[in-house]
Amino acid sequence: MSRNLHRWLLLVALPLPLTLPGCARTSAPPPPEVRDGRPDRGATLIAQYGCGSCHTIPGVNRANGLVGPPLTRFGSRSYIAGKLVNNADNLQHWITDPQAVVPGNAMPDLGVSPVDAQDIAAYLYTLD
């Protein structure tokens, strides 16, 4: 094999493993944004509404419930309640009216206002 051909094959073959499907690692997409939400207020509201009695939620005092799923790394999740695409509008809808999204599910309607839901969502999206 000529030296030039050998060099050409190396230049072509070396990048090949980096382009094979399934082999490349990609980082998770950034969490959805809640532009007007206040994460600091959201953490306080999570405690006030008692979300931690059912969920484990990092950064929220006494939020170590085992009834609902843990909300660790929430910002990296693809779906909400296994049904809604994880974005700010859907999360706020779920928080304010979970029974409308999945009738009969275990999450109660806590009477969360839209403004409070916005801040709670902003906090949850910091958990990535």
Side-chain angles (χ1 to χ4, degrees):
M1 188 180 315
S2 78
R3 184 175 222 158
N4 286 338
L5 180 59
H6 183 70
R7 285 183 185 159
W8 181 83
L9 286 173
L10 281 174
L11 289 174
V12 171
L14 282 177
L16 188 59
L18 299 176
T19 61
L20 293 175
C23 293
R25 290 188 179 231
T26 59
S27 57
E33 279 189 43
V34 182
R35 294 189 187 276
D36 297 324
R38 292 184 40 213
D40 58 325
R41 184 172 180 270
T44 301
L45 290 167
I46 286 170
Q48 286 177 2
Y49 280 105
C51 304
S53 62
C54 291
H55 297 281
T56 297
I57 309 165
V60 176
N61 192 28
R62 295 188 309 229
N64 53 7
L66 300 174
V67 175
L71 301 182
T72 53
R73 303 200 63 219
F74 187 85
S76 298
R77 296 183 184 192
S78 299
Y79 290 94
I80 300 163
K83 184 168 179 139
L84 300 174
V85 173
N86 190 0
N87 64 46
D89 289 339
N90 285 342
L91 179 55
Q92 291 170 56
H93 180 216
W94 170 254
I95 292 169
T96 57
D97 195 0
Q99 295 301 315
V101 176
V102 181
N105 80 81
M107 185 156 158
D109 182 348
L110 297 172
V112 179
S113 73
V115 171
D116 288 355
Q118 185 177 47
D119 292 338
I120 291 169
Y123 179 78
L124 292 176
Y125 286 134
T126 69
L127 306 176
D128 58 352

